[in-house]
Amino acid sequence: MKRKWLAILLALGMLLGLLGGCGQSGADEGTVNEPVATEDSTDGSYKIEGLVGTASDYSDKNNWLNIPEITKEVDTFYIYPTVFADPSEDAPDIVPIDNELMRTNAQGIFEQQASVYEESTNVFAPYYRQSNLIALSNLRGDDLMQYQMQEQRTDLYAALDYYFENYNDGRPFILAGHSQGSIMSIIVLGDYMQAHPEYYERMVAAYPIGFSVTKKWLEEHPYAKFAEGADDTGVIVSWNTEGPGNKGQDSIVVEEGAVSINPLNWKRDDTYAGVEENLGSLVQNEKTKKYEIKDGMADAQIDTERGVVICTTDKVFVTNSEIFGKESLHNGDYALYYANLQKNVADRIDSYLKNK
């Protein structure tokens, strides 16, 4: 058991580019209710019910990781991944919004991931009560989604409400995340956006990278479309990255029926894309500790059966983890294809603005 927690903590440390200590305890616990979304019988509108606990206050700017100056025509609403793992007995399962370790780690991951959207958009990012990675480690599928329907969901819906009512000013937007942030993005797409079609129609694209969007989920949400190419809009763009050795391995982020798009050639089939198609990867300079875009380190080919992107050329981001698999590249989902993703965001925005 000790070895398992060590592997989980190591995986998180590699993702953050640091190894954090244990976090604060004292979770803000609410009563866990079964979330229910209903269709109103009188007007057909979709209503959200069953939110757990009291939402954090997003009129307080201290509860935002980033509120940008408005310099672009399009926004991004970014949801950070798991940045807290504490196996101690008194650690919270759901981390309080004011937990300093979570906030510090979220700031670090913002530079590695959310920065990809800053060239083309105004990036908004709330702090939110999120799950301790240890609490998620044995959950899969519907159980994992259900677990995230607690205070995590309550906070993000409140942040979205405040963002659209006070910050967005009618601009088109991108919804983006990674890992746990992508679980939450998928919940938002399947629940919050269904209740708010007036917002959804302004969505340029959603990038829930690093967690599976499945065929089953798409069938259950027919208004949501997965991307078919490099510049279609109003679509979902997602992938999970693995080495070939992860075939058949259990991974918390890869579900049965997963679908992915190739982040180099933007195709859905198994057409191979070599490193020459990679515009650049984001890596940390060992001397300066700053992040730099260097020549692309990664190729990409979709395993259409498993629904993931296979990379055969990178070893820097490979993680042997009990929850991600022995050859996971989960930590490199953004970094390996950074410049291609940056260009793709610009291309989809250009397509959206030309056709609106």
Side-chain angles (χ1 to χ4, degrees):
M1 184 63 71
K2 183 177 180 180
R3 182 180 296 175
K4 176 180 180 180
W5 297 144
L6 181 61
I8 292 172
L9 289 165
L10 180 60
L12 180 67
M14 290 181 68
L15 174 61
L16 296 172
L18 55 89
L19 288 172
C22 292
Q24 301 172 6
S25 59
D28 186 6
E29 297 180 357
T31 302
V32 178
N33 301 314
E34 184 76 12
V36 178
T38 62
E39 186 174 318
D40 189 289
S41 58
T42 58
D43 61 7
S45 62
Y46 188 86
K47 297 184 181 299
I48 297 170
E49 297 181 1
L51 293 177
V52 175
T54 302
S56 298
D57 180 9
Y58 289 98
S59 66
D60 182 353
K61 292 186 177 181
N62 290 321
N63 284 336
W64 289 85
L65 167 58
N66 199 63
I67 302 173
E69 291 186 27
I70 305 304
T71 59
K72 310 291 195 307
E73 293 182 76
V74 176
D75 293 346
T76 291
F77 188 94
Y78 167 76
I79 309 172
Y80 54 83
T82 306
V83 292
F84 185 96
D86 184 351
S88 61
E89 290 185 5
D90 62 348
D93 288 337
I94 299 175
V95 187
I97 194 170
D98 59 356
N99 182 280
E100 289 302 322
L101 179 61
M102 181 188 74
R103 287 184 174 229
T104 299
N105 289 346
Q107 292 161 15
I109 208 71
F110 186 96
E111 181 182 359
Q112 299 172 45
Q113 294 183 354
S115 59
V116 79
Y117 302 101
E118 287 188 304
E119 185 174 89
S120 298
T121 72
N122 316 297
V123 181
F124 291 84
Y127 290 113
Y128 68 101
R129 287 173 290 182
Q130 70 162 209
S131 299
N132 185 339
L133 181 60
I134 308 306
L136 299 180
S137 61
N138 292 319
L139 300 177
R140 300 291 185 274
D142 291 343
D143 290 338
L144 179 56
M145 282 289 186
Q146 186 63 45
Y147 191 83
Q148 295 301 111
M149 292 280 202
Q150 300 182 69
E151 288 90 348
Q152 309 93 312
R153 173 180 180 250
T154 301
D155 269 9
L156 283 173
Y157 284 18
L160 282 161
D161 284 346
Y162 196 85
Y163 160 72
F164 281 116
E165 292 166 10
N166 297 277
Y167 292 143
N168 175 255
D169 199 25
R171 287 183 298 276
F173 69 95
I174 284 169
L175 177 67
H178 183 248
S179 198
Q180 184 173 169
S182 290
I183 300 174
M184 301 314 300
S185 297
I186 292 167
I187 290 172
V188 167
L189 287 166
D191 191 24
Y192 184 90
M193 289 303 172
Q194 191 169 359
H196 293 285
E198 73 278 16
Y199 301 152
Y200 186 70
E201 67 182 11
R202 299 205 308 269
M203 190 183 79
V204 175
Y207 289 85
I209 297 166
F211 193 81
S212 292
V213 177
T214 66
K215 295 174 184 176
K216 178 184 176 183
W217 187 92
L218 291 166
E219 290 170 357
E220 291 172 347
H221 303 84
Y223 59 88
K225 307 298 181 186
F226 201 89
E228 297 291 343
D231 61 359
D232 44 349
T233 61
V235 295
I236 298 170
V237 183
S238 181
W239 64 86
N240 283 289
T241 318
E242 299 185 326
N246 236 41
K247 184 81 169 180
Q249 296 283 305
D250 174 62
S251 172
I252 191 173
V253 296
V254 178
E255 297 192 329
E256 184 178 354
V259 293
S260 288
I261 195 166
N262 189 313
L264 295 184
N265 60 26
W266 305 106
K267 294 182 179 181
R268 293 278 303 278
D269 60 21
D270 62 358
T271 302
Y272 176 74
V275 292
E276 67 277 2
E277 296 184 60
N278 193 319
L279 302 176
S281 302
L282 187 73
V283 296
Q284 190 175 42
N285 185 301
E286 292 185 3
K287 293 182 179 179
T288 67
K289 303 303 180 184
K290 293 182 178 180
Y291 288 94
E292 302 171 350
I293 297 178
K294 297 206 170 178
D295 289 345
M297 302 159 52
D299 61 358
Q301 184 175 27
I302 293 179
D303 178 338
T304 55
E305 180 182 359
R306 186 167 167 87
V308 300
V309 168
I310 300 298
C311 171
T312 65
T313 56
D314 174 68
K315 301 301 179 187
V316 173
F317 289 94
V318 172
T319 305
N320 185 346
S321 164
E322 291 193 29
I323 64 171
F324 294 112
K326 69 178 182 180
E327 206 168 290
S328 171
L329 287 163
H330 183 65
N331 295 348
D333 285 326
Y334 268 78
L336 290 170
Y337 307 110
Y338 189 91
N340 291 75
L341 175 55
Q342 191 174 55
K343 181 178 184 300
N344 185 250
V345 169
D347 288 345
R348 291 190 196 275
I349 289 173
D350 185 57
S351 178
Y352 178 92
L353 294 176
K354 283 180 179 178
N355 292 290
K356 73 172 184 175

